[in-house]
């Protein structure tokens, strides 16, 4: 498994660049990932999505359905793609440190 | 000399059927030769390593692809199926082996010019291997590396005016039968409807917003050449309302043996002389046909439009003129709660550009399922969980005998409070005043 070093932190990741362990997440991770996910500047709106995903994951042990993410954050799916160009799964969940989405994707 | 020994796979080069092993070996050799001087963007020996890893799987009887894979292009939430080999040191050519779903034209009609240009892109940026086509319909490109995905997407859209297909919890690539392009049974223009809805719902196709996957398929008639009733959450199946058109002279030509039954489909075996009574009249599921020796009659009010008589005597019998489609819902494979075929929702809907009646049904279903569907619950399962009645309600469809094959046999019947005189609010004391404890 690959490891990356960034701003003094070490992260273990898989081929798709997802964190291997949610506990390894730190704000530096977001900084490290944002470029490969097509994000120049991190805004409060990005932060809001990331925080909600993490809260939901901590409480429920899974990522929320897209509909719930939209409802709670108040961001339409279109806007989520404006924030995270590769979408809520590959973009936002990766930055939030959640496990890689699975299933018939 | 091949890169890997493949004794097991080599067995599959024998026999009459076109061998995928021969074809992949041919492509491997072509890449090594590289007559056109292509600047390959992924390893030249991708095909050799694919055969190598497949041979290993044949030996081990286990797959050698890692679990899952999340890759894609910016702006879309699907379209690419990521895949990584679990033995990348041994088979570096397929360390990444992502699949790209390319949206196909309705009916899969191509020009060689278009296919040549597509292959030029794939030759340079992919493995050169394809699946023509995936079961859902997409033209599938098999095997490339992550770095090439945006490059491929740029060339596809900018040079080929072609988009990716769907994957994930969204509307998957719609597909249809050949329809009116080359079939006299087509009751509506399947290509037109398939194309129009694919364009209309691009957003739903590229950015997963659904509880789970959702598929459309369009069959021009009940023969089901794209198997919509079994392979689509919403199946659109052509039909007609008026009478089957009978050409009595042509019927006589079948009886006289001048025309071959089923257009000669059973010619490879001697089934004897065509017997219209035995092969058509007695096979009609509703027994609504008769033949008096010179004239064929059909009681169209009793006809199911099963297609059997038309299929058997296509030169003599034709579909009616008042045409449209039936909409059926809920087909799915077994996971989780059992396989389903689609159930009839709208017996007849006109299919005319701009297809507003069709879109209304679709959008009503989506509004409901997107709100009520559980995570990874197919429409068919939501229908099972919440009841067919609910589907009728949300689509504004009046319940009709055609919605069931037979009525329920259990008496667990729910009533709405407003349909019961006095409603559900009752006082036990009032009851006790008449019935002692």
């Amino acid at each position: 498994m690959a490891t990356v070093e960034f701003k003094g932190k070490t992260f273990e990741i898989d081929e798709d660049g997802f964190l291997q362990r949610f506990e390894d997440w730190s704000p530096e991770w977001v900084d490290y990932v944002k470029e490969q996910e097509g994000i120049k500047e991190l805004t409060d709106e990005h932060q809001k999505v990331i925080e909600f995903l993490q809260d939901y994951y901590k409480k429920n042990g899974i990522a929320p359905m897209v509909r719930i993410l939209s409802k709670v954050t108040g961001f339409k799916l279109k806007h989520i793609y404006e924030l995270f160009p590769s979408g809520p799964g590959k973009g936002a969940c990766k930055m939030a440190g959640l496990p890689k989405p699975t299933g018939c994707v | 000399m091949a890169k890997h020994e493949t004794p097991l796979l080599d067995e599959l080069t024998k026999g009459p059927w076109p061998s995928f092993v021969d074809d992949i070996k041919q492509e491997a050799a072509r890449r090594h030769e590289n007559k056109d001087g292509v600047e390959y963007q992924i390893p030249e020996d991708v095909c050799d390593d694919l055969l190598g890893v497949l041979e290993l799987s044949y030996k081990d009887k286990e797959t050698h692809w890692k679990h899952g894979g999340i890759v894609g292009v910016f702006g879309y939430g699907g379209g690419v199926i990521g895949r990584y080999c679990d033995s990348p040191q041994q088979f570096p050519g397929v360390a990444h082996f992502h699949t790209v779903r390319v949206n196909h034209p309705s009916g899969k009609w191509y020009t060689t010019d278009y296919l040549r240009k597509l292959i030029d892109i794939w030759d340079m940026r992919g493995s050169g291997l394809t699946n023509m086509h995936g079961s859902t319909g997409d033209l599938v490109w098999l095997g490339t590396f992550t770095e090439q995905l945006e490059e491929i997407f740029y060339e596809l859209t900018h040079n080929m005016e072609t988009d990716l297909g769907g994957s994930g919890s969204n509307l998957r690539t719609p597909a249809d039968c050949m329809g009116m392009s080359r079939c006299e049974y087509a009751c509506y223009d399947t290509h037109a409807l398939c194309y129009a809805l694919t364009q209309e719902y691009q957003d739903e196709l590229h950015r997963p917003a659904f509880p789970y996957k959702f598929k459309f398929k369009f069959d021009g008639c009940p023969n089901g050449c794209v198997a919509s009733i079994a392979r689509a959450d919403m199946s659109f199946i052509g039909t007609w309302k008026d009478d089957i058109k009978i050409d009595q002279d042509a019927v006589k030509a079948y009886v006289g043996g001048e025309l071959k039954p089923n257009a000669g489909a059973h010619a490879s075996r001697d089934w004897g002389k065509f017997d219209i009574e035995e092969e058509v009249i007695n096979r009609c599921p509703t027994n609504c046909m008769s033949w008096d020796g010179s004239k064929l009659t059909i009681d169209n009010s009793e006809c199911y439009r099963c297609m059997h008589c038309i299929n058997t005597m296509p030169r003599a019998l034709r579909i009616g003129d008042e045409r449209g489609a039936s909409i059926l819902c809920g087909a799915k494979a077994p996971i989780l709660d059992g396989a389903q075929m689609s159930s009839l929702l709208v017996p007849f809907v006109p299919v005319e550009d701009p297809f507003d009646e069709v879109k209304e049904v679709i959008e009503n279903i989506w509004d409901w399922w997107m709100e009520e569907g559980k995570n990874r619950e197919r429409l068919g399962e939501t229908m099972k969980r919440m009841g067919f009645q609910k589907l009728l309600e949300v689509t504004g469809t009046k319940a009709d005998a055609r919605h069931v094959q037979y009525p329920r046999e259990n008496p667990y019947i729910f009533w709405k409070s407003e349909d019961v005189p006095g409603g559900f609010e009752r006082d036990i004391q009032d009851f006790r005043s008449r019935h002692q404890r």
Side-chain angles (χ1 to χ4, degrees):
Chain A
M1 218 35 71
T3 51
V4 290
E5 304 248 353
F6 188 74
K7 291 189 179 166
K9 299 260 179 174
T10 310
F11 302 103
E12 248 181 69
I13 58 165
D14 67 11
E15 296 91 343
D16 291 321
F18 278 76
L19 271 186
Q20 291 290 90
R21 284 180 302 272
F22 180 62
E23 304 74 49
D24 291 353
W25 185 90
S26 69
E28 289 82 7
W29 170 250
V30 176
D31 250 8
Y32 168 72
V33 174
K34 70 178 188 204
E35 200 182 332
Q36 44 173 286
E37 289 306 321
I39 298 164
K40 285 203 182 73
E41 210 54 54
L42 217 67
T43 65
D44 290 349
E45 292 187 330
H46 288 103
Q47 216 62 51
K48 188 173 170 185
V49 172
I50 290 171
E51 275 167 27
F52 169 67
L53 288 175
Q54 294 185 330
D55 284 351
Y56 192 95
Y57 181 69
K58 280 182 215 157
K59 266 183 216 143
N60 302 289
I62 54 165
M65 289 167 73
V66 170
R67 202 174 66 243
I68 296 168
L69 175 66
S70 278
K71 237 184 216 167
V72 176
T73 57
F75 301 149
K76 291 219 163 76
L77 188 59
K78 187 168 176 283
H79 189 57
I80 293 174
Y81 274 88
E82 284 162 5
L83 296 171
F84 300 92
S86 32
K90 182 174 173 286
C93 282
K94 186 198 267 187
M95 291 183 89
L98 269 58
K100 180 153 81 181
T102 57
C104 186
V105 287
Chain B
M1 182 62 209
K3 186 175 170 191
H4 305 282
E5 294 284 315
T6 55
L8 295 171
L9 285 175
D10 291 346
E11 288 295 313
L12 300 181
T13 61
K14 301 168 186 171
W17 293 97
S19 164
F20 73 94
V21 177
D22 271 338
D23 287 353
I24 298 176
K25 283 184 171 178
Q26 197 184 329
E27 179 63 8
R30 204 189 60 84
R31 281 176 80 86
H32 292 309
E33 197 185 352
N34 195 6
K35 263 200 273 189
D36 300 326
V38 176
E39 274 183 55
Y40 291 129
Q41 299 297 302
I42 73 165
E44 186 189 301
D45 52 6
V46 51
C47 297
D48 307 81
D49 277 350
L50 180 71
L51 289 172
V53 76
L54 184 61
E55 178 76 16
L56 185 64
S57 284
Y58 271 48
K59 219 168 77 191
D60 299 345
K61 298 185 167 64
E62 276 179 343
T63 183
H64 282 287
W65 302 111
K66 289 192 191 182
H67 181 78
I70 291 288
V71 290
V73 297
F74 285 152
Y76 290 2
V80 185
I81 319 304
R83 198 65 80 224
Y84 302 96
C85 181
D86 73 359
S87 315
Q89 280 81 26
Q90 202 179 347
F91 306 106
V94 292
H96 296 205
F97 199 71
H98 308 324
T99 292
V100 182
R101 290 188 180 159
V102 179
N103 203 334
H104 65 295
S106 300
K108 306 186 180 78
W109 292 100
Y110 290 107
T111 61
T112 54
D113 180 58
Y114 179 80
L115 287 175
R116 281 172 204 281
K117 285 177 179 158
L118 271 188
I119 280 304
D120 283 343
I121 299 175
W122 190 235
D123 191 23
M124 175 177 173
R125 304 195 176 279
S127 66
L129 304 177
T130 69
N131 176 1
M132 301 288 281
H133 298 72
S135 317
T136 300
D138 306 270
L139 189 165
V140 176
W141 278 348
L142 290 173
T144 190
F145 278 55
T146 306
E147 301 71 31
Q148 290 306 310
L149 295 174
E150 289 287 355
E151 309 285 342
I152 288 166
F153 185 54
Y154 184 93
E155 290 198 30
L156 257 186
T157 48
H158 289 73
N159 305 340
M160 301 297 297
E161 294 186 10
T162 298
D163 207 339
L164 297 182
S167 71
S169 292
N170 58 8
L171 175 64
R172 301 295 184 85
T173 312
D176 63 339
C177 71
M178 305 299 265
M180 289 178 171
S181 66
R182 55 167 299 169
C183 178
E184 65 270 36
Y185 303 159
C187 299
Y188 69 94
D189 189 343
T190 54
H191 291 355
L193 183 59
C194 182
Y195 181 73
L197 295 186
T198 304
Q199 295 291 5
E200 175 84 14
Y201 301 121
Q202 280 289 293
D203 207 31
E204 285 75 7
L205 194 154
H206 292 306
R207 284 167 283 278
F210 291 166
Y212 204 8
K213 65 178 102 168
F214 198 94
K215 297 180 184 180
F216 289 156
K217 277 188 168 58
F218 309 93
D219 277 312
C221 81
N223 280 329
C225 293
V226 72
S228 69
I229 198 170
R231 310 258 187 285
D233 297 85
M234 275 186 89
S235 324
F236 302 86
I237 305 178
T239 188
W240 64 95
K241 266 180 152 176
D242 54 346
D243 293 351
I244 292 177
K245 288 184 278 187
I246 308 175
D247 176 344
Q248 299 291 353
D249 289 337
V251 175
K252 288 190 191 107
Y254 277 105
V255 173
E258 293 97 80
L259 293 173
K260 297 271 166 278
N262 293 88
H266 307 298
S268 61
R269 197 176 145 183
D270 182 11
W271 291 90
K273 189 173 176 300
F274 177 62
D275 179 346
I276 190 168
E277 285 287 346
E278 205 42 52
E279 295 177 42
V280 180
I281 310 297
N282 294 345
R283 306 234 163 230
C284 172
T286 63
N287 268 318
C288 72
M289 303 181 80
S290 49
W291 168 250
D292 67 3
S294 65
K295 191 165 178 254
L296 180 74
T297 45
I298 301 175
D299 177 0
N300 282 278
S301 64
E302 292 296 319
C303 170
Y304 279 172
R305 290 147 183 84
C306 77
M307 297 298 293
H308 177 75
C309 60
I310 298 179
N311 286 337
T312 309
M313 303 192 290
R315 295 277 290 274
L317 301 177
R318 301 202 173 249
I319 58 171
D321 288 326
E322 209 184 319
R323 300 169 189 172
S326 301
I327 302 178
L328 298 87
C329 298
K332 58 177 279 290
I335 290 172
L336 283 167
D337 69 357
Q340 285 190 50
M341 301 232 274
S342 284
S343 301
L344 182 67
L345 173 66
V346 183
F348 188 88
V349 64
V351 184
E352 278 146 23
D353 195 31
F355 312 112
D356 287 336
E357 292 92 344
V358 173
K359 288 177 191 166
E360 194 189 332
V361 180
I362 293 169
E363 286 164 26
N364 281 332
I365 289 178
W366 281 351
D367 282 348
W368 170 62
W369 178 62
M370 284 172 74
E371 197 53 43
E372 297 289 343
K374 291 187 177 178
N375 196 15
R376 295 211 174 142
E377 181 179 66
R378 292 288 287 268
L379 174 65
E381 292 163 339
T382 311
M383 285 159 56
K384 245 175 151 176
R385 179 169 58 84
M386 303 194 68
F388 195 78
Q389 181 65 39
K390 194 75 203 166
L391 181 70
L392 295 178
E393 255 171 53
V394 301
T395 52
T397 312
K398 203 169 166 309
D400 178 317
R402 290 169 293 183
H403 285 133
V404 294
Q405 200 152 26
Y406 47 87
R408 70 190 306 151
E409 287 164 331
N410 73 56
Y412 303 117
I413 299 169
F414 284 89
W415 297 84
K416 285 186 174 151
S417 134
E418 60 266 30
D419 294 335
V420 180
F424 291 163
E425 294 293 322
R426 304 292 166 99
D427 179 12
I428 185 75
Q429 298 307 330
D430 175 52
F431 177 79
R432 287 279 166 248
S433 70
R434 284 169 283 118
H435 305 274
Q436 277 186 32
R437 185 144 188 178

